[in-house]
Each structure stands twice: as structure tokens, then as C-alpha cells.
Amino acid sequence: MPFGYSGNILHIDLSSRKHWIEHPPENFYRTYMGGRALALYYMLKEMKPKTDPLSPDNLLIFAPSVITGTPAPAIPRYTVCAKSPLTGAQGEAEAGGWWGPELKKAGFDAIVIKGGSPTPVYLYIKDGKVEIKDATHLWGKDTGTTQMTIREELADDKIRIAQIGPAGENLVRFANIVNELKHFNGRNGLGAVMGSKKLKAIAVRGTKPINLFDKEKISQITKEITKRVMDNPLSRGFRELGTPGTVRPAYEAGCLPSYNWTTGYFKEGESLTAETYNKTILKRTEGCFACPIRCKRVVEINEPDLKVNHAYGGPEYETIASLGSICGISDLKYIAKANELCNRYTMDTISTGMVIAFAMQCYQEGLLTKEDTGGIELTFGNKEAVLEIIEKIAYREGLGDLLSQGSYLAAQKIGKGSEKFTHQVKRQEIPMHDPRLKTGVGLQYALSDYGADHMKAAHDPFFKDKDSVGIKEMKGLGILEPVSPTDMGEKKVALFKLWDIYWTVFDILGVCDFGYVPRSVGTMEELLEIIKSTTGWKTTWFELMKLGERSINMARIFNYREGFTSKDDTLPEVFYQNFKGGPLDGQGAINKKDFEKAIKLRYELMGWNQDTGIPAPAKLIELGLNWLIKEVK
């Protein structure tokens, strides 16, 4: 009997309305374990190169891991993968919440979806049984209405629902997938892939327990971690301030992204801090499945001219900056409303804010006119305009139709030099962390296979001095010496390689980055013991790091097949320039030649060609990926 997983992978063909169950051997699970690694296996095996991301031939894969759904803390996450309609590369997004554990309890380790339905449908999965149900009456509905309707139809308010809103239906290239109205598979436009297949939702209900090898040991570790949550300053900080706690240090340092990255100085920064947030709009905090940290914010506003429904959660740091300071807006109430709209319609808040800020700068420079905006004064700081544009993007009306394609493609159409106002990597808009003060984050942006992302690896400050959490807690990976956050030398590149592989393991296993070192209270030793006690495997961190490295190489090869080259591993030009305004004025530019040298060194450290970044056959043999050698030859 397997432990931690059921041995059942559900395959669904929406074109033929058929489904079947695959039963892979134990070695398959041991090799890929779930998440992005498992998904990439199917994407490389079953998808032809150059597949149109919005065609029926694109695969859409939902994959928890062999430990998702255990009662251990902070392991609720699951991955969705497909070819991204935003980047054209490997698309990937992880989400917390409750849906991943529920799928495991319903008897499946993953769902592989191909084809496309001619009419809207939703999937209903309960304890090993699968139905494809009509969703015509749900098409066009927002996420709150859809969730309520499905639960009423199926007469079960415990059903967990992953779904898309109008933005996904209308194929907005940065549409998301959401579960429980507030937990997102964000970035990469995977909601548009779901919409292209006319798949409105996947409703899951599971009552079967997950078999655990050593339930008592997991219970013991859970109790120990839970006891330490409020004693540890990092986990306590997440509970008290959440990710908005990042606002204050960023704006005080002068690196809070503002006015479409033209400055890091936002004089109204105090109005966006977590302390202001907690005093004005916070209703309560919540958490994900089996997590004691409870970092999620829930807000509510009930004013005559502005209402925000608490059911949709509350804005995180990325949203506060992307729909706030990046657009020149300092009113938290309007940012909360913008966040609610994005959640109702399932739109990525980072890309939404960035495409609006891009349009604002184009408007400011005269590249877009009032005629183009439909009469909207699209100026920085116009909070009402942001809400209007969000609606237009979701329904692809007027200027919203252009912006729904993402800033890269929008700039191609606008022309007139507007390209210099975009800030993206592999066509995905950059997140709200400035790599001029955290060069490892810059390496994340450039080398992430799914476009610029701030959660590809741990951030530099966790390894900045001998008292840093990363230095104290991660010596088992050979991380012994601190490195300055702004360093771009050999030590930083070697360290970043380890960070990247380590957090890739987290993504594969569904582990929340906020639950374990270097970001929080759980130790590397405890996480390893959780994996062993769940699966019964005598695994080690050596095996796990090879797992992470394996998936990184698989993604690299997938992107290589799609036409990506080493030229795509770069940064937006803004980061090769000094800060403007604020305490960092005239400082901070990343040296472009040093950065390019760092990229090449990273290739070599990974066993890739120094010039092309293509994995060497010997590296693939080492990782058990012999079947992919033909792809690099």
C-alpha cells in the first residue's frame, strides 16, 4: 500500500468527454513526487512543441504532491501547469488554501486535462468518481456567485472549488485560477487556458483519509512547530502583519516601486503600511489548510460609496504596490476594492497593476489619448480610473482589450517607443521587489523559466550576515558564509543556485515558503522527517535537491523547444539604471556586464552550456532524464 499518495492520476479529455485513471509505479512518484516536476513530465511527453497555448492541444495539469494534505503545518499547496498564453513558455503557479488537500482526499494525485469542450462545463470529483457537468448557466458569473451556485446544486457546502471568473472566460492573458475565492494560482495566465477549454470550475469533495506511514511522528512534529509559531519573530510577524509588513521597510529605504518604476520614492508610503492597514480595513486573519501561522488578510469596507466584500480576502504586499504605489495611488480602501474586483474576475493583480501603470505612463507621454481610453483620465493617482480599467480588462472592452494581452504585446501594438515603459521578463510583468538592492532577486527574475517571479528562491537578506536565519539554519546545504544582498560575485551566484533548487523543492512538494526556513519556524530537519513519515521513504536532502534540479532542467528543455534562448535570461533596463528620487537617488544601478557574467556562471554551475544555457547530455543522464537527450541534440 502506498503512503502519502493514492497511485491514481486522473486523465480527462474534454473534447471526447472521456476520462481514465493511470496507475504509475512507485518509482514514478519517487522520481517526480508531484507539483511542477510531475506536470512537466506530461508536458514534455504528450505536448508537441509550438502548441498554441489557447488551443485544445495544450495540457492543463493540476498537481498536489506526495505530502500535500498531511496534517503537518504549511503544506497545503498544489501546482497548476500548462504552456503559458502570457509568456509562451512553461507556465506554472502554486496556490494554497484547501483545494489541493481535498483532491488528495478524493483519491487522486493529479489531474491531466486535454482537449476542449464546445460548451461550458465543470468537473465534479468525489471520492474517486468523476462527472462532467453542464456549466452554461455559470458562464459569465463572477467567482462568488459560481461558488455559491455549485455548492447549492451539489447540496454540499464543504465542496472545494477551483474556478475562473470572466477574465479567464474572456482569455485575458494574465487570468488566474482561484479556490475559496481568495487563494490563487496566480501569474502566467493559466485561467485563460482553463477558459479556452470552456472549463469553468473543478469541484472536489473527498472523505477518504490519506494513508500516512507514521502518523504519530507527524503529529509530534506538528505540535512542536505550532508551539513555536508565536515565539519565532518571522512567523509571528507574518501572523501580525502578513506580507503587507514589507511595505514599511521598502518605502523607508526608498525602494517601494512607484509610478511605473520611475522611482522607488513614494511620499505617501505611510498610508500603505501594514500598521495603517490593520487600523483601517483589516477585519480578521485567516490561514490555509493545517497551517497555524494565519498570514492571510481579510478586509471589509462598508461605506455609502465604496463596499468591499470580506469573502474575497484582502490585498497582499504585491497588490498594495502593484495597484497602489505603481499607479500612484495611496488610498488603501480603493486598493482593497481593486483587489476584490481582480478576485471576482480572476485576474493577476501584479500584471493588472503593471499594465495599468504602463498605460498611465503612455497617457502621460501622449502615446495614448482620451479617445484611446474611452474618455478616462488615465493619470497616475486616479483611483477611480483604476477600477474602471480593471472592469474593461476583464471584459476586454475598449482599451481593456489591448491591455488584456499584457504590457509586452500592448506595447508592440501601440509602438511609438512605448516599449521602454514595459518592465517584463519573458513577457511577464515584474513583481514588486527591486533587485538593485537584492541581486539574487534579479537572478530569479532573469532565470525563472515561467517569467519574472519573486518567489522562485529565497531573498538575499536572509543570508546577509552571520546572524541571518539562512546562515544559522541551512548549513546542511553547505551555506556557511553570508553574502551581501547587493553582491554580484561568484559566491552570490553559487548561493543563488542552492536557493533556487531548494525552493523549487518547496514548489514541487506543495510546501509554503512562509512555513519553513529561511522564511519561518519549521526547520529543514523537520520537513525532511515529515516527508519520511508521510511516505515511508528513507529519503535525504540530497535526493530532494536532485528532485528540484531535475524539474529545473525539464523546464529549461521545455522552453528551449518553444524557442527561448539565453537572450531571454535578462532584466528590464530600469535595473541597470540608478534610482531616481528619495534616499537612494543616484545610486544602485546593477552593472550589466557583471550581471551577464553571473548568468553565464550560473549556467556552468548547473551543467549547462555556458553560452546557450542548454543542459548538457551528461547532466540529463545524472538526473535520470536520458529520455530528454534527443531534445537537446
Side-chain angles (χ1 to χ4, degrees):
M1 173 182 19
F3 294 101
Y5 63 96
S6 65
N8 302 319
I9 293 183
L10 175 63
H11 292 258
I12 296 175
D13 186 338
L14 290 174
S15 296
S16 65
R17 301 283 180 107
K18 293 181 179 178
H19 70 271
W20 63 97
I21 299 172
E22 179 188 5
H23 306 288
E26 181 181 13
N27 278 355
F28 172 84
Y29 285 95
R30 188 98 185 221
T31 301
Y32 302 106
M33 293 198 192
R36 61 178 257 149
L38 182 148
L40 280 162
Y41 170 84
Y42 288 102
M43 290 168 69
L44 286 161
K45 283 275 189 179
E46 299 186 10
M47 277 178 63
K48 293 180 180 178
K50 312 299 183 183
T51 294
D52 183 341
L54 297 177
S55 76
D57 295 327
N58 196 2
L59 293 183
L60 181 66
I61 302 167
F62 291 72
S65 82
V66 293
I67 62 169
T68 301
T70 68
I75 311 178
R77 299 176 72 80
Y78 68 98
T79 300
V80 178
C81 282
K83 183 178 177 182
S84 166
L86 181 65
T87 67
Q90 180 256 352
E92 168 190 345
E94 284 74 35
W98 303 79
W99 191 90
E102 198 74 16
L103 181 67
K104 292 282 295 291
K105 291 189 287 182
F108 295 108
D109 302 312
I111 308 173
V112 181
I113 302 168
K114 70 176 182 178
S117 174
T119 58
V121 296
Y122 74 90
L123 303 180
Y124 176 38
I125 300 170
K126 183 176 181 181
D127 290 339
K129 296 181 180 180
V130 182
E131 293 182 57
I132 300 177
K133 302 179 77 70
D134 177 63
T136 305
H137 59 302
L138 299 172
W139 206 250
K141 305 295 185 185
D142 68 22
T143 53
T145 303
T146 299
Q147 178 170 282
M148 178 181 67
T149 304
I150 290 176
R151 285 177 173 169
E152 287 176 352
E153 281 182 6
L154 301 177
D156 190 346
D157 62 3
K158 294 183 179 180
I159 286 173
R160 306 296 182 179
I161 300 167
Q163 58 163 311
I164 56 171
E169 298 170 4
N170 294 323
L171 310 185
V172 173
R173 289 186 185 269
F174 44 88
N176 288 347
I177 300 168
V178 66
N179 76 85
E180 303 303 297
L181 306 184
K182 59 180 81 74
H183 301 283
F184 284 87
N185 299 96
R187 319 249 55 204
N188 280 184
L190 301 177
V193 177
M194 200 163 163
S196 73
K197 296 180 178 300
K198 289 287 193 294
L199 178 59
K200 178 66 172 175
I202 305 178
V204 179
R205 182 77 166 96
T207 62
K208 299 177 181 179
I210 297 171
N211 291 323
L212 305 175
F213 179 75
D214 190 341
K215 189 175 181 179
E216 290 185 7
K217 183 64 174 178
I218 293 175
S219 178
Q220 176 189 340
I221 295 171
T222 299
K223 289 176 182 176
E224 290 173 357
I225 292 177
T226 302
K227 284 179 185 177
R228 300 199 307 269
V229 163
M230 293 310 292
D231 294 329
N232 183 286
L234 289 172
S235 54
R236 185 175 65 246
F238 275 126
R239 175 177 284 202
E240 294 174 350
L241 301 177
T243 60
T246 305
V247 173
R248 179 175 296 284
Y251 106 80
E252 289 182 347
C255 64
L256 182 65
S258 305
Y259 303 100
N260 197 32
W261 288 91
T262 57
T263 182
Y265 177 62
F266 193 66
K267 65 180 181 180
E268 299 91 352
E270 184 64 38
S271 64
L272 300 181
T273 63
E275 292 81 4
T276 302
Y277 188 124
N278 287 359
K279 290 176 184 176
T280 56
I281 62 174
L282 183 67
K283 180 179 176 66
R284 64 175 181 270
T285 62
E286 291 181 349
C288 297
F289 173 86
C291 184
I293 296 175
R294 299 180 65 83
C295 69
K296 304 296 289 184
R297 311 287 99 178
V298 177
V299 306
E300 185 173 59
I301 300 170
N302 192 15
E303 296 180 353
D305 59 342
L306 190 69
K307 299 185 186 301
V308 176
N309 189 335
H310 64 85
Y312 294 94
E316 302 287 343
Y317 164 73
E318 296 294 328
T319 304
I320 292 169
S322 61
L323 290 170
S325 56
I326 275 287
C327 296
I329 293 169
S330 59
D331 190 329
L332 267 177
K333 293 179 181 179
Y334 272 80
I335 295 169
K337 183 62 181 180
N339 178 73
E340 184 206 80
L341 291 176
C342 287
N343 290 7
R344 282 183 182 272
Y345 302 144
T346 57
M347 281 164 39
D348 180 73
T349 57
I350 297 174
S351 284
T352 299
M354 284 290 288
V355 297
I356 293 173
F358 158 75
M360 284 175 165
Q361 192 165 5
C362 287
Y363 187 81
Q364 177 179 280
E365 298 294 327
L367 306 184
L368 289 175
T369 67
K370 226 174 184 181
E371 184 179 349
D372 296 317
T373 66
I376 298 172
E377 285 280 2
L378 199 55
T379 54
F380 286 110
N382 189 339
K383 56 193 180 185
E384 290 85 4
V386 168
L387 301 185
E388 287 186 71
I389 292 294
I390 288 173
E391 296 269 1
K392 290 185 178 296
I393 293 172
Y395 291 98
R396 295 185 61 174
E397 298 172 349
L399 180 63
D401 183 44
L402 176 65
L403 299 183
S404 73
Q405 303 303 295
S407 58
Y408 175 86
L409 291 178
Q412 300 300 304
K413 188 166 184 179
I414 295 170
K416 308 174 192 175
S418 61
E419 297 86 352
K420 64 178 175 288
F421 302 141
T422 66
H423 309 295
Q424 47 77 31
V425 179
K426 299 180 180 73
R427 301 190 180 187
Q428 178 160 269
E429 290 76 17
I430 57 174
M432 303 293 106
H433 296 264
D434 198 314
R436 284 172 288 192
L437 296 184
K438 297 188 286 189
T439 54
V441 170
L443 290 167
Q444 291 185 51
Y445 287 178
L447 288 162
S448 173
D449 37 77
Y450 42 89
D453 192 88
H454 62 294
M455 297 299 282
K456 187 73 170 67
H459 287 204
D460 307 65
F462 291 102
F463 304 88
K464 68 179 181 178
D465 55 47
K466 63 181 179 61
D467 295 320
S468 298
V469 176
I471 300 300
K472 286 184 173 181
E473 298 290 341
M474 298 179 67
K475 288 184 170 60
L477 292 184
I479 299 176
L480 306 178
E481 296 181 1
V483 180
S484 166
T486 56
D487 184 273
M488 187 55 80
E490 295 172 353
K491 285 186 178 180
K492 173 59 68 68
V493 180
L495 189 57
F496 170 70
K497 176 198 171 186
L498 291 175
W499 298 346
D500 188 6
I501 296 172
Y502 177 71
W503 266 22
T504 298
V505 172
F506 278 18
D507 287 343
I508 293 168
L509 293 177
V511 174
C512 179
D513 302 325
F514 295 168
Y516 294 84
V517 296
R519 292 296 300 268
S520 195
V521 62
T523 67
M524 289 180 62
E525 292 75 19
E526 287 170 327
L527 180 56
L528 182 64
E529 191 56 49
I530 288 167
I531 299 166
K532 293 161 70 173
S533 299
T534 299
T535 62
W537 297 335
K538 294 180 180 179
T539 188
T540 64
W541 269 106
F542 178 85
E543 181 182 16
L544 296 176
M545 293 294 280
K546 288 301 175 186
L547 167 69
E549 193 176 356
R550 184 176 300 120
S551 85
I552 291 171
N553 279 267
M554 292 168 75
R556 190 79 186 177
I557 290 172
F558 183 91
N559 285 356
Y560 173 62
R561 295 198 323 181
E562 299 306 317
F564 286 84
T565 71
S566 58
K567 292 180 181 178
D568 297 296
D569 296 333
T570 187
L571 284 176
E573 286 297 319
V574 67
F575 299 129
Y576 301 127
Q577 302 165 8
N578 285 322
F579 283 97
K580 295 179 181 179
L584 295 172
D585 185 51
Q587 308 173 51
I590 292 174
N591 183 289
K592 196 170 189 177
K593 289 185 178 179
D594 288 345
F595 191 79
E596 290 171 348
K597 183 179 178 182
I599 293 288
K600 288 194 172 187
L601 177 57
R602 169 62 191 277
Y603 291 168
E604 287 190 280
L605 292 174
M606 291 295 292
W608 301 346
N609 182 284
Q610 180 184 12
D611 297 314
T612 65
I614 298 172
K619 172 55 67 174
L620 299 181
I621 291 170
E622 176 196 342
L623 297 172
L625 296 174
N626 312 55
W627 56 279
L628 287 174
I629 291 176
K630 64 182 184 297
E631 302 285 358
V632 299
K633 285 187 174 180

